[in-house]
Amino acid sequence: MTAGVPTARRSVFVAEVGALLAAQAVDAVLVVQADAVPRGITGSLLTVVLPYAGSATAVLAVLRRRFPRRVELLAGAVVGLSLLGTAVAGLAPRAPLQPVVTEVLAVLLVAAAGCRRLPVWRAAALAVVAGATAVLAPSVRYGLDYPAALFPVAAALAWGAALALGLILRDADARHRRELERIRTEDRLQLARDLHDLVAHHVTGIVVRTRAAQALAQHPVEVFDEIEHAAAEALTATRGLVGVLRSDDPLPSPSLVLGDVVRAAAGTDAAVHVATDVEALLVPAQVSVALHRVLLEALTNVRRHASATEVRVTARSDGDELVLEVENDGVTGEAADGGHGVLGMGERVAALGGELVAGPRGSDRWVVTARVPLAFDTLPRGV
């Protein structure tokens, strides 16, 4: 979904470098046409130094892409070099004329970047200084005689366009951050609902074991150990998901082991087989929650609607996909119609970028198969 973003950025970068190279070519033509001849040691020194000022500003302007957090420093260097060249032109009339096209373009680029990234007041200060620099450079170096007076006008118009572009990008960034925050909030709400379901499942197990302890009061020790274990599982699951809800990250980091997720969902209701290659596979928290809910739903359907004597849960890899299967030998006519929450399970698996198939296998078995991509870093948002 985001594959086009780097390509677009590269296109903008290439266009920017092309514009700066074209500006350098224009400056080179203007230098050839200039008839100013430097005199004395100072003039000769300026002839050696000044021609590289435009190239330096171009390089600094491009570097702002590599160091976006140093925009203010790079902008100050670009503006400073341009003002230095303008000051030399004003104070040393016999100095060689230094064209301004590359410098003005570099100043406008860093001004636009500053308007996009810097805090409001610092961006405003940079915009004013950059505007003054862009207008002063052609005014002082070429004068205000016609047609040279058109240079400052063009620079002022370009400055306005650069500020508008920077403000448009600033607004786009703000809208993007708001969209990310909205998605993050939706993720947390979904995780909160899953937290409720997960804890309810474990607490139900605690209640069942407690009732069993009451019925077997003469030998309560083993049952109470099971109750303690179930309560510990509930606390662990709760803490894990609450930690995800408190995190500011848009996606939780991978930290849950697939084998543990499958066994926690299956409990004692099914025989579990997890292939060696995926036993210790780390999966993102939102993926583990979705798989947990799918397994719970499939096993709940077996308990409610099938007269099963054998239930198996299998986890394995198949190429670049993770495959989960819930198989039982208690097929009913209703199950054969594809009911019992199959639609809800399919939606959860589809949200992970996979697919779910439920149907008979042979004449006496029913299988629910979920396939999920193993490339968890490319999963769709909002899982």
Side-chain angles (χ1 to χ4, degrees), residues 194 197 288-298 345 348:
D194 290 331
D197 295 341
S288 66
V289 168
L291 296 180
H292 189 279
R293 292 292 302 138
V294 168
L295 291 174
L296 285 182
E297 181 68 26
M345 289 188 290
R348 283 185 175 272

Side-chain angles (χ1 to χ4, degrees), residues 184-192 244-248:
R184 186 179 298 121
T185 301
E186 290 181 356
D187 288 345
R188 290 174 177 172
L189 290 176
Q190 181 62 43
L191 288 171
V244 171
L245 292 175
R246 290 177 177 174
S247 173
D248 290 332

Side-chain angles (χ1 to χ4, degrees), residues 25-49:
V26 173
D27 283 344
V29 173
L30 294 176
V31 167
V32 172
Q33 293 179 349
D35 56 0
V37 179
R39 296 181 181 180
I41 298 177
T42 303
S44 301
L45 181 62
L46 293 176
T47 302
V48 175
V49 175

Side-chain angles (χ1 to χ4, degrees), residues 24-369:
Q24 285 276 67
V26 173
D27 283 344
V29 173
L30 294 176
V31 167
V32 172
Q33 293 179 349
D35 56 0
V37 179
R39 296 181 181 180
I41 298 177
T42 303
S44 301
L45 181 62
L46 293 176
T47 302
V48 175
V49 175
L50 286 181
Y52 297 101
S55 300
T57 58
V59 172
L60 292 173
V62 173
L63 283 177
R64 84 190 191 284
R65 289 186 170 274
R66 178 65 179 83
F67 304 100
R69 296 187 179 182
R70 298 288 185 268
V71 168
E72 196 169 12
L73 179 62
L74 294 172
V78 171
V79 170
L81 284 174
S82 181
L83 288 176
L84 178 62
T86 301
V88 169
L91 298 176
R94 293 184 179 276
L97 182 63
Q98 177 61 26
V100 298
V101 179
T102 303
E103 292 181 22
V104 170
L105 180 57
V107 169
L108 297 180
L109 288 174
V110 296
C115 288
R116 179 183 184 181
R117 301 185 182 278
L118 295 179
V120 175
W121 292 110
R122 287 154 64 184
L126 175 60
V128 172
V129 173
T133 302
V135 173
L136 281 176
S139 301
V140 173
R141 300 183 195 187
Y142 289 93
L144 296 178
D145 297 333
Y146 183 83
L150 296 177
F151 289 176
V153 175
L157 293 176
W159 172 75
L163 294 192
L165 176 61
L167 293 175
I168 290 173
L169 294 176
R170 187 187 190 96
D171 179 69
D173 291 342
R175 286 187 282 108
H176 179 65
R177 287 191 296 269
R178 289 194 295 269
E179 179 66 14
L180 288 180
E181 184 61 30
R182 183 189 65 79
I183 294 175
R184 186 179 298 121
T185 301
E186 290 181 356
D187 288 345
R188 290 174 177 172
L189 290 176
Q190 181 62 43
L191 288 171
R193 289 190 288 269
D194 290 331
L195 173 62
H196 170 271
D197 295 341
L198 198 60
V199 173
H201 169 73
H202 286 293
V203 172
T204 300
I206 293 174
V207 173
V208 172
R209 288 174 174 82
T210 303
R211 292 175 179 174
Q214 294 174 348
L216 303 173
Q218 64 272 24
H219 300 291
V221 176
E222 182 179 351
V223 177
F224 287 151
D225 287 341
E226 292 181 0
I227 293 174
E228 181 182 2
H229 179 69
E233 284 186 351
L235 288 175
T236 300
T238 303
R239 287 169 181 166
L241 283 179
V242 169
V244 171
L245 292 175
R246 290 177 177 174
S247 173
D248 290 332
D249 296 332
L251 287 177
S253 59
S255 58
L256 301 180
V257 178
L258 177 65
D260 295 341
V261 173
V262 174
R263 278 185 285 271
T268 59
D269 296 332
V272 178
H273 174 71
V274 181
T276 305
D277 58 339
V278 295
E279 167 66 37
L281 179 66
L282 295 177
V283 293
Q286 81 276 17
V287 177
S288 66
V289 168
L291 296 180
H292 189 279
R293 292 292 302 138
V294 168
L295 291 174
L296 285 182
E297 181 68 26
L299 293 172
T300 299
N301 288 343
V302 172
R303 289 193 301 269
R304 290 178 179 175
H305 306 286
S307 302
T309 60
E310 180 186 2
V311 183
R312 287 178 55 85
V313 175
T314 305
R316 56 184 173 82
S317 63
D318 183 10
D320 57 353
E321 292 181 325
L322 171 65
V323 181
L324 295 179
E325 286 188 350
V326 180
E327 180 179 359
N328 72 88
D329 60 353
V331 178
T332 65
E334 187 179 2
D337 292 334
H340 315 309
V342 172
L343 180 60
M345 289 188 290
E347 291 177 349
R348 283 185 175 272
V349 175
L352 297 176
E355 62 177 357
L356 182 136
V357 178
R361 176 178 292 174
S363 59
D364 61 346
R365 306 192 76 82
W366 180 265
V367 182
V368 176
T369 303

